[in-house]
Amino acid sequence: MPSNKSVSDAPIVQFTNCRILRDHQLQREDLWVREGKILNPEKLFFDEKGSADVQLDCKDSIIAPGFIDVQINGGFGVDFSLATDDFKSGINLVSQKILSHGVTSFCPTLVTSPPSVYHQVLPQISVRNGGAHGAGILGAHLEGPFISKEKKGAHPEHCLRTFEAGAFRDLLATYGSLDCVQIVTLAPEMRRSSEVIQELTKRGICVSLGHSVANLSQAEEAVQHGATFITHLFNAMLPFHHRDPGIVGLLTSDKIPAGRRVFYGMISDGIHTNPAALRIAHRAHPKGLVLVTDAIAGMGLAPGRHTLGQQVVEIDGLNTYIAGTKTLSGSVATMDTCVRHFQEAIGCSVETALEAASLHPAQLLGIEHKKGTLNYDSDADFLMLNDNLYVQATYIAGEEVWRQDASRM
């Protein structure tokens, strides 16, 4: 049956002999792609009378949506919180290297920094599509500096800021611009935070609660004003207490506005969160769990001393500490490692583990109509994985951008 070239001259690629993650289940179907989008084969057959130009045998691989990392501070020696002359080449290097981890889109994350760093770095981050050059950039995640001194974690105390009389103007003056910003993490107990949350939300920016000593009612008020995310649940917040569970209580709160879902990030690296805590969070609110790496410049490098913004950190195995302390400072885990650890720790299905790194972050950012699923007409950003969830190949817009060397498989 000939292709119908009256609709489009672009080649149609049919991926066969695979199991596709669609509608929360692995389904034995073929995947059809044209012009960077996923095709509905029924429309192709019956409306266009078309067929595939190219067939690719996937050899029984799993095909899943590409991973989306909404919190990554850098990697491979590149620190997104350092203002350097070659910042763009650094972000390009990271975006290219994380293709091998299955990441097809990400939010470069800046930790608490002086205003001068934001003013230099943010104009150099631009939202862009992914491709052979690397994973797509969805916008920056600004983690701080409007956070709690008590729960600053690895953030430098001398750079922390509060909201004064002109709360939102303070934020704009600190960052310089919000043009490329996708997520802002702040502490909701700070005075005037509610008006800032409302202003950010109006501009389509996701507000995340983190590095905070907020009690549950303060966290609920922040959600009622528009906050939708929790930055690395359990880390850098008050521990769960049965009389006031703090931010953690949002997972089962009955004060969440109707139709709203609160999402929460988890660093599933075997270091930041005990497997039992992962299981508690997942069982309490499975549809809100978003896997993040929180990776720092040392990811992909040998143990030793590296940077995280204004701080020096030491990598010892999978542990990363502020130099000379036992304060955890980001991770060196890759997203595919986090997915595998999550599945093993939770004992959940393959589908559940994969959606925590794809569908859920897409839903958080409101882009699930084009990313995070393999629905018809969505972007053809997807992975081929084996049954143990090791990435075999990464595709963006239907084009292969990374493949595991056959000799290493």
Side-chain angles (χ1 to χ4, degrees):
M1 190 164 32
S3 296
N4 184 344
K5 297 300 181 187
S6 65
V7 175
S8 172
D9 287 331
I12 296 166
V13 182
Q14 177 188 7
F15 294 82
T16 67
N17 189 18
C18 53
R19 290 159 291 157
I20 303 172
L21 176 55
R22 185 176 281 152
D23 296 328
H24 316 297
Q25 289 186 317
L26 287 179
Q27 305 186 18
R28 194 161 279 286
E29 296 176 17
D30 293 351
L31 186 76
W32 299 74
V33 174
R34 176 172 63 194
E35 291 185 315
K37 300 287 184 185
I38 293 170
L39 274 182
N40 180 341
E42 287 195 9
K43 283 188 178 177
L44 176 66
F45 300 150
F46 297 114
D47 297 352
E48 299 182 31
K49 307 291 189 284
S51 62
D53 298 289
V54 180
Q55 284 188 328
L56 291 175
D57 183 350
C58 300
K59 300 177 180 165
D60 205 36
S61 295
I62 293 168
I63 292 189
F67 299 149
I68 299 170
D69 194 351
V70 300
Q71 187 175 7
I72 172 171
N73 310 289
F76 312 99
V78 176
D79 186 339
F80 298 146
S81 302
L82 285 184
T84 58
D85 292 338
D86 60 348
F87 181 86
K88 285 194 174 177
S89 63
I91 205 167
N92 289 343
L93 173 71
V94 174
S95 66
Q96 212 283 320
K97 291 274 198 179
I98 59 178
L99 295 174
S100 66
H101 308 158
V103 177
T104 53
S105 302
F106 71 109
C107 293
T109 304
L110 279 71
V111 296
T112 295
S113 304
S116 59
V117 169
Y118 297 115
H119 295 187
Q120 284 177 266
V121 169
L122 290 180
Q124 299 186 72
I125 297 176
S126 49
V127 174
R128 69 182 188 204
N129 293 327
H133 58 275
I137 296 174
L138 299 170
H141 177 170
L142 304 182
E143 188 187 1
F146 301 98
I147 58 173
S148 160
K149 186 169 71 173
E150 292 82 2
K151 291 293 179 184
K152 66 184 187 298
H155 292 236
E157 187 171 330
H158 70 277
C159 294
L160 299 182
R161 298 175 80 87
T162 56
F163 297 122
E164 302 306 329
F168 191 68
R169 287 198 304 275
D170 295 340
L171 179 138
L172 277 177
T174 299
Y175 295 146
S177 168
L178 293 171
D179 290 348
C180 68
V181 176
Q182 181 72 254
I183 304 173
V184 171
T185 293
L186 53 77
E189 72 275 14
M190 295 181 75
R191 209 162 49 91
R192 302 183 181 276
S193 66
S194 291
E195 60 191 89
V196 171
I197 292 169
Q198 288 174 301
E199 286 295 332
L200 288 169
T201 304
K202 263 189 225 168
R203 288 162 171 77
I205 294 170
C206 166
V207 175
S208 188
L209 311 180
H211 289 277
S212 164
V213 292
N215 60 34
L216 178 56
S217 64
Q218 289 168 325
E220 288 170 336
E221 185 181 349
V223 171
Q224 286 153 11
H225 284 111
T228 53
F229 194 38
I230 304 170
T231 296
H232 45 52
L233 187 78
F234 297 124
N235 296 112
M237 61 187 61
L238 290 179
F240 176 89
H241 189 280
H242 58 284
R243 278 193 290 277
D244 191 333
I247 289 176
V248 177
L250 288 175
L251 272 59
T252 55
S253 170
D254 58 359
K255 302 284 196 304
I256 307 300
R260 180 92 57 78
R261 186 188 305 179
V262 173
F263 293 88
Y264 58 98
M266 298 217 71
I267 309 166
S268 171
D269 61 354
I271 304 291
H272 279 76
T273 315
N274 185 284
L278 265 178
R279 288 191 287 273
I280 287 169
H282 182 256
R283 289 174 190 175
H285 185 27
K287 291 184 177 176
L289 194 148
V290 173
L291 291 178
V292 299
T293 61
D294 200 19
I296 64 168
M299 177 184 66
L301 302 182
R305 291 201 161 202
H306 301 282
T307 65
L308 177 60
Q310 311 300 303
Q311 310 268 48
V312 176
V313 299
E314 290 179 329
I315 297 175
D316 177 12
L318 283 177
N319 293 289
T320 58
Y321 303 113
I322 293 178
T325 77
K326 287 298 180 186
T327 300
L328 285 173
S329 54
S331 85
V332 288
T334 61
M335 183 58 90
D336 55 323
T337 302
C338 289
V339 169
R340 290 191 295 271
H341 178 265
F342 175 71
Q343 200 228 347
E344 186 180 341
I346 298 289
C348 64
S349 68
V350 163
E351 292 95 329
T352 295
L354 292 169
E355 286 187 344
S358 54
L359 175 62
H360 295 176
Q363 290 172 328
L364 164 71
L365 299 178
I367 57 172
E368 69 272 22
H369 59 290
K370 56 182 180 178
K371 307 274 187 197
T373 76
L374 298 178
N375 293 340
Y376 303 138
D377 299 322
S378 63
D379 293 350
D381 296 355
F382 58 89
L383 313 174
M384 286 187 194
L385 307 106
N386 65 19
D387 285 353
N388 295 320
L389 301 186
Y390 283 87
V391 181
Q392 298 171 317
T394 303
Y395 286 75
I396 293 181
E399 299 290 329
E400 183 182 294
V401 293
W402 181 85
R403 176 166 288 276
Q404 174 71 53
D405 183 344
S407 65
R408 291 162 52 204
M409 288 179 69

